[in-house]
Amino acid sequence: MAGKSGNAFDLNLFKRLLRYTRPYRLTFYFVGFAAIVLSFFSVVRPYLTRLTIDNSIVPKDGDNLIYYISLMIGALVLEVVSQFSFIFFANWLGQQVIRDIRVNLFEHMLSFKKQYYDKSAVGRLVTRAVSDIETIASIFSQGLFMIISDLLKMLVVLGFMFFQSWRLTLFVLAVLPFILYATRVFQKKMKVAFEEVRTQVSNLNSYVQERITGMKIVQIFGREQMEYDRFKEINDKHRKAWVRTVWYNSIFFPIAEIASSITIGLVVWFGGLRVVESEALSLGIIVMFIELAQMLFRPLRQIADKFNTLQMGMVAANRVFGILDTESTIQDEGEIEAKNLVGEIQFKDVRFSYIEEEEVLKGISFEVRAGETIAIVGATGAGKSTIINLLSRFYEIDSGSISIDNKNIQDFTLKSLRNEIAVVLQDVFLFADTIMSNITLNHEDISEEKVIEAAKQIGVHKFIETLPNGYYYNVKERGVMLSSGQRQLIAFLRAYVSNPSILVLDEATSSVDSYSEQLIQEATDKITQGRTSIVIAHRLATVKKADRIIVMDAGEIVEIGNHQQLLQQENGYYRNLYEVQFMEEEQV
């Protein structure tokens, strides 16, 4: 997609970026027209300066002086209006473009498989969606159109200079090849430098985001000094990347300034001699050429500066388009709308691996009848949570089939399938918002009355009412204002109000107080009643109440039966698990 590092410009990437300007083509053309108008204004003021000197100051004509000053004021007003229109609409266009790109990016990220997020640092994705896209805006506001405007100014100035005096123009052009060569080298070096800058910015963002999120772990294990030292190392790399860009700027701009000064010196020397020796040149022409020479080299220096901005924008665009080009979405080619499912589930010889050739599920097969509650037990890593992920199509299976109501889940539209399956995970995630918003997830069809009624039915209404502002209590980021048990109760209520056909629960209650555990058990009994439920069971009460228990070990189903049936199997896996894990709980 993008060119190799060091290439000054990637035309294909730039063309792709320009496609986002199509809905705003009138504004795009207007900004281009304003750039053309500004280029012609660039020679008006120097020319009026020449006329003022030659026709009024030298002959000491006061009336002409007032006339030319009036013309200069009028030209200045028109130039200011054109400059305002150019800058405002160029920035407006840039903001429209990045809004559209950001919407496309976020929509694309919403469709990614969970596997993509398993492997991607959150900080890097945030950098792409926020700061990188803001950098793209500068392509239009400070890069592309500014460069076009400067190039047009240079062409108009150069043409006008040749028209006025080709000899003086040749003196000006004598230094130009050197400046052009230096600019080209500068552009290539800056491209590499800015790619390194964006990489280090991403690394810094990712590190800071992860450490702030996991600060509790850092402090619990006393790793503050180590993390501080590591941060200094990453921050130093970030500093060095920026210093490299400063170094290139520090070399280029003084060189350009010296070249400009040498050019002006040559103009004054040659033009001054001609004025003294003959009338071939006037004082006004020399002053005009000094101003025109500065106008010729100033845009050249600005182009290099704006090209820096353009380069940073292109590097950022390359990274953003890299995510947009990522094919990590679940195929949504089903045509059947999953509505009011009966809830019959069938896994048939399902194989799955997170990493190729490392199977997590090794050809498992089982059936769940409509309205039945199935408990899944087994050691950590047995594949219990993987079953939950596959049922909702968060991952794609390697082989086999998963069916609901005798229809392959791939035949359902993805949205309708997930609407019929509610999942309560062990690690409950709450947004930094009110309890009401976390329950409804801002779904228009779920009213406040419905939420309150559902809360009363599963026994959590009283608990919510005890909180400040009740249902409108802000739980802050990740629900830190609530205990783990309270967060899980909110998750149960969120699942219940969605009225799913199939319920999937990971009902871990470690570090949960006895009162919350009692509420969770009551909520579990209520929401599983009358609907197909798959529960990763961590408590004996849930295991004993299940219609059937699926016992897993190392990605395989080793036993299936109810509590009493499995206990009767001599040296059975479930019986051994019960004696080690559940019997102590039952005695308590």
Side-chain angles (χ1 to χ4, degrees):
M1 178 188 64
K4 293 180 181 179
S5 180
N7 289 346
F9 197 75
D10 189 331
L11 186 58
N12 291 329
L13 180 64
F14 185 66
K15 287 179 179 178
R16 182 175 181 183
L17 194 59
L18 284 183
R19 294 192 196 113
Y20 283 90
T21 66
R22 289 175 181 172
Y24 318 104
R25 55 171 60 91
L26 289 179
T27 303
F28 184 87
Y29 295 145
F30 175 79
V31 174
F33 174 74
I36 295 173
V37 171
L38 283 172
S39 67
F40 284 101
F41 273 120
S42 63
V43 298
V44 171
R45 282 186 294 110
Y47 183 65
L48 288 174
T49 300
R50 175 205 166 177
L51 295 178
T52 303
I53 293 172
D54 289 343
N55 298 339
S56 60
I57 295 177
V58 172
K60 299 180 180 180
D61 187 339
D63 293 336
N64 261 351
L65 180 61
I66 295 174
Y67 170 71
Y68 284 119
I69 289 176
S70 299
L71 289 178
M72 292 175 71
I73 292 173
L76 181 62
V77 170
L78 291 175
E79 187 175 3
V80 167
V81 172
S82 299
Q83 189 78 25
F84 166 78
S85 301
F86 174 75
I87 294 174
F88 175 81
F89 285 105
N91 279 273
W92 182 89
L93 181 63
Q95 291 302 315
Q96 297 299 112
V97 167
I98 66 168
R99 180 197 63 182
D100 294 345
I101 293 177
R102 186 177 282 124
V103 167
N104 287 350
L105 179 65
F106 191 71
E107 181 183 32
H108 192 58
M109 290 168 65
L110 285 174
S111 66
F112 280 157
K113 301 176 184 177
K114 280 185 65 178
Q115 200 161 8
Y116 177 84
Y117 293 104
D118 293 342
K119 299 177 180 179
S120 302
V122 175
R124 285 190 175 88
L125 294 177
V126 171
T127 300
R128 301 294 176 265
V130 181
S131 61
D132 277 346
I133 289 184
E134 286 296 335
T135 306
I136 293 174
S138 64
I139 291 178
F140 299 95
S141 61
Q142 302 174 40
L144 170 66
F145 291 116
M146 290 293 186
I147 291 174
I148 292 174
S149 178
D150 287 344
L151 286 173
L152 287 173
K153 284 181 183 178
M154 291 174 64
L155 289 174
V156 171
V157 166
L158 200 56
F160 185 72
M161 290 171 73
F162 267 111
F163 178 73
Q164 292 293 309
S165 173
W166 64 270
R167 289 184 178 87
L168 282 178
T169 304
L170 290 179
F171 275 95
V172 174
L173 292 180
V175 186
L176 194 60
F178 173 72
I179 294 295
L180 291 175
Y181 174 75
T183 302
R184 178 65 175 171
V185 173
F186 176 70
Q187 290 168 354
K188 287 187 175 182
K189 294 294 185 181
M190 289 303 286
K191 173 70 183 300
V192 177
F194 280 136
E195 285 186 341
E196 178 63 17
V197 165
R198 298 314 301 171
T199 297
Q200 295 306 326
V201 168
S202 291
N203 290 342
L204 187 63
N205 285 349
S206 179
Y207 188 86
V208 172
Q209 189 272 337
E210 288 178 352
R211 267 54 189 184
I212 290 177
T213 302
M215 188 59 70
K216 184 177 180 180
I217 299 299
V218 172
Q219 294 177 344
I220 286 175
F221 288 93
R223 309 299 286 175
E224 293 93 340
Q225 186 61 44
M226 191 195 77
E227 296 297 346
Y228 171 71
D229 293 339
R230 176 63 178 149
F231 176 79
K232 287 203 301 183
E233 181 182 336
I234 294 174
N235 195 38
D236 192 53
K237 290 180 179 178
H238 177 265
R239 178 191 61 82
K240 288 178 179 177
W242 273 109
V243 167
R244 194 172 295 114
T245 67
V246 174
W247 168 251
Y248 293 138
N249 280 300
S250 301
I251 294 175
F252 174 77
F253 287 104
I255 289 175
E257 193 65 38
I258 291 171
S260 176
S261 300
I262 291 173
T263 302
I264 292 172
L266 290 173
V267 169
V268 172
W269 170 73
F270 179 77
L273 287 178
R274 296 300 299 274
V275 169
V276 171
E277 293 174 359
S278 67
E279 295 297 326
L281 291 177
S282 67
L283 181 62
I285 289 180
I286 295 175
V287 174
M288 180 184 71
F289 259 79
I290 292 174
E291 192 172 350
L292 288 173
Q294 289 176 326
M295 295 182 68
L296 183 66
F297 284 103
R298 189 184 306 121
L300 190 60
R301 295 196 300 271
Q302 289 176 349
I303 284 175
D305 192 30
K306 301 307 178 187
F307 204 89
N308 292 348
T309 301
L310 184 62
Q311 294 284 52
M312 290 194 72
M314 294 294 284
V315 170
N318 185 33
R319 295 176 183 276
V320 171
F321 287 143
I323 298 179
L324 284 170
D325 291 338
T326 300
E327 295 294 335
S328 184
T329 58
I330 298 291
Q331 294 299 314
D332 188 10
E333 298 176 352
E335 298 180 353
I336 302 174
E337 289 292 321
K339 289 185 178 180
N340 301 319
L341 298 176
V342 175
E344 294 179 351
I345 302 171
Q346 183 181 53
F347 276 62
K348 187 174 182 181
D349 196 26
V350 173
R351 295 183 179 274
F352 173 75
S353 55
Y354 293 103
I355 302 172
E356 193 173 350
E357 297 183 358
E358 294 184 17
E359 284 191 336
V360 177
L361 297 183
K362 304 173 182 178
I364 68 168
S365 299
F366 66 89
E367 293 183 4
V368 183
R369 292 183 287 271
E372 189 176 29
T373 296
I374 295 291
I376 304 177
V377 299
T380 301
K384 304 186 299 295
S385 296
T386 301
I387 291 177
I388 291 176
N389 289 327
L390 296 181
L391 184 63
S392 297
R393 293 195 67 198
F394 292 126
Y395 299 87
E396 296 283 28
I397 62 176
D398 297 337
S399 63
S401 65
I402 303 174
S403 302
I404 298 178
D405 293 357
N406 297 317
K407 297 181 180 67
N408 194 302
I409 59 173
Q410 295 180 349
D411 295 334
F412 293 111
T413 62
L414 194 59
K415 182 178 180 180
S416 67
L417 173 68
R418 290 178 177 172
N419 282 342
E420 290 296 307
I421 302 175
V423 181
V424 179
L425 297 174
Q426 177 178 351
D427 182 19
V428 176
F429 184 93
L430 298 180
F431 295 97
D433 207 334
T434 64
I435 288 179
M436 181 64 69
S437 294
N438 272 288
I439 294 169
T440 65
L441 297 177
N442 299 315
H443 198 294
E444 296 178 354
D445 295 335
I446 303 178
S447 65
E448 180 179 348
E449 291 75 18
K450 183 177 181 180
V451 170
I452 294 174
E453 181 59 30
K456 291 177 179 178
Q457 290 178 9
I458 66 173
V460 299
H461 175 69
K462 291 182 179 179
F463 139 65
I464 296 176
E465 284 290 287
T466 61
L467 298 172
N469 298 322
Y471 287 87
Y472 293 92
Y473 177 64
N474 193 312
V475 300
K476 305 300 180 183
E477 187 174 0
R478 299 183 67 89
V480 295
M481 302 304 291
L482 302 177
S483 69
S484 58
Q486 290 172 331
R487 289 196 296 271
Q488 195 169 51
L489 287 169
I490 299 301
F492 272 86
L493 184 53
R494 179 162 61 192
Y496 187 57
V497 297
S498 67
N499 193 28
S501 300
I502 298 171
L503 184 67
V504 181
L505 301 178
D506 188 345
E507 48 124 40
T509 54
S510 56
S511 303
V512 172
D513 60 88
S514 58
Y515 176 71
S516 294
E517 184 171 357
Q518 181 182 352
L519 289 179
I520 290 171
Q521 184 59 54
E522 292 173 359
T524 301
D525 294 342
K526 180 63 179 181
I527 66 176
T528 57
Q529 188 177 348
R531 57 167 54 92
T532 304
S533 304
I534 298 178
V535 184
I536 296 180
H538 299 265
R539 296 192 307 272
L540 178 62
T542 304
V543 174
K544 293 174 70 174
K545 289 180 180 179
D547 298 305
R548 281 186 300 153
I549 303 167
I550 296 176
V551 186
M552 297 191 65
D553 181 40
E556 297 179 313
I557 296 176
V558 292
E559 295 170 357
I560 296 181
N562 61 35
H563 177 66
Q564 293 300 328
Q565 291 171 341
L566 294 177
L567 281 183
Q568 293 173 6
Q569 297 185 21
E570 290 290 336
N571 296 320
Y573 188 98
Y574 177 80
R575 180 169 176 172
N576 291 333
L577 182 67
Y578 169 78
E579 291 174 350
V580 172
Q581 179 177 339
F582 293 138
M583 188 175 291
E584 181 180 346
E585 180 183 341
E586 188 173 39
Q587 291 172 350
V588 173

